[in-house]
Amino acid sequence: MTIFNFSTFVDSENLCTENFTSVDIVTCFESNIKNIVYINELTSCSYVRLNTTQYQVVVDHKVVPPNVAITIDFKVTKIKITENRDLIMVDVDKNENLDVCVALLDRKLKQEQDTGRRADHCKDTLCMVENILTLLCFLISMVCLLLTLLTYCMFPVLRTKAGVNNMFLSLSLLLAQVSLMISAYTSALSIPCKLIGIMTHFLWLWNFSWNFICSFNMVRVFTASRGINNQRNMTHGTWKWLSCSFILPVLVVSAVIIFNHFTSQGREFGYGNEQCYLDSPLLIGLTVATPLFVITLINVSFFLVAVYKIYSVRRLQSDFLPSTAQDFSMTIYIKLSTVTGMFWIVAVLAEFSDNKIFGFIALVLNGFQGLSIFLAFVCNKRVVTLYSSLWRRLQA
């Protein structure tokens, strides 16, 4: 049986060595790979053979089963094989040559290429400014969300139905932003990376759910003929909405995992291969952008209904309202926009327009969502009075 030796490929003047990682390995090998190797009971594939100078195997016997790490040196780049799903696609023959499935090499080299692109992506000044601005906005947002949650926890009088909804909206946004920051600064494509990707996806969908719940309850308040305010019903309603808030993230994340698990024959889960998030733009579009678009569209409808109801009442009462009523209405509109997630509209428009200035505006608005919630629901006279009373009691 004729076996293609990888050293022949490396030394060949007709094949790609200088820009190896930028070329699909299948294209490079297509004229040489003709054999199918039976690696083990799980895998048979087209393969290449590496001699002992081109790879290194490290076995850690401190754990059971032992951890195995194979490093392949392509001179211009190195790839490491550590995961079980990848190790079943390699084999060492009796002469200590390493047979590696082409599909595995292709995937690993593409990952190395993408990693290099991400590393070089932010060498220009504009990108560095964007990264710094994103980090700054997120940090300010997270601090404001923590202060918002602390305020609601300290003063039971604020924990009305709307107040509890605002708490969960703030909590979901805080956790989503923290998870996104962790995923952005986690480079290792490993099991923790996959878990972080799943968690990030889940938490953002959970936040979208609370945007919808807050908007729905908001429009129900303005359209209902009467309200039910007793404590028993409030507690029951809180548990009901909390349970409902998990439906979207559980269904979507489960669908991603199950679909990718079966389509990849158990090798993939849809997370953590390209980054510590969803693996492909298609998945992001279907399972993040689509739910966000639908929920935002519904929330905008709720917002318009609420604004119309407020406007109708104000118009009927215009003769009896003080001069500050218009400013008060504007304050209500701003508060409503924070719970409906109106800022996401700017992000969607920026994505489609591909305008840098518009993109920066969207980045700031969405990065400052926590700040907007804090300003809308905590920075008011009532909360200041509560803190003043608390301070006087502590001083007494």
Side-chain angles (χ1 to χ4, degrees), residues 245-256:
S245 70
F246 289 113
I247 293 176
L248 175 66
V250 168
L251 289 178
V252 173
V253 172
S254 299
V256 170

Side-chain angles (χ1 to χ4, degrees), residues 340-393:
T340 55
M342 296 286 284
F343 293 156
W344 289 115
I345 298 175
V346 183
V348 173
L349 293 176
E351 189 67 27
F352 281 105
S353 66
D354 197 26
N355 184 286
K356 289 291 184 182
I357 297 176
F358 205 20
F360 269 99
I361 295 173
L363 187 153
V364 172
L365 288 178
N366 286 288
F368 278 152
Q369 284 187 82
L371 176 62
S372 65
I373 291 174
F374 177 74
L375 293 175
F377 298 104
V378 177
C379 293
N380 55 61
K381 291 182 179 179
R382 184 187 185 191
V383 174
V384 171
T385 301
L386 289 171
Y387 271 111
S388 299
S389 300
L390 177 63
W391 176 254
R392 286 195 296 269
R393 288 198 303 271

Side-chain angles (χ1 to χ4, degrees), residues 35-45 47 88 91 99:
N35 301 299
I36 301 295
V37 62
Y38 185 76
I39 298 293
N40 54 33
E41 69 274 15
L42 297 177
T43 307
S44 61
C45 64
Y47 73 100
I88 64 172
D91 188 41
D99 295 333

Side-chain angles (χ1 to χ4, degrees), residues 27 136 170 224 259 283 316 353 366:
T27 303
L136 180 63
S170 301
F259 175 79
L283 283 176
L316 292 173
S353 66
N366 286 288

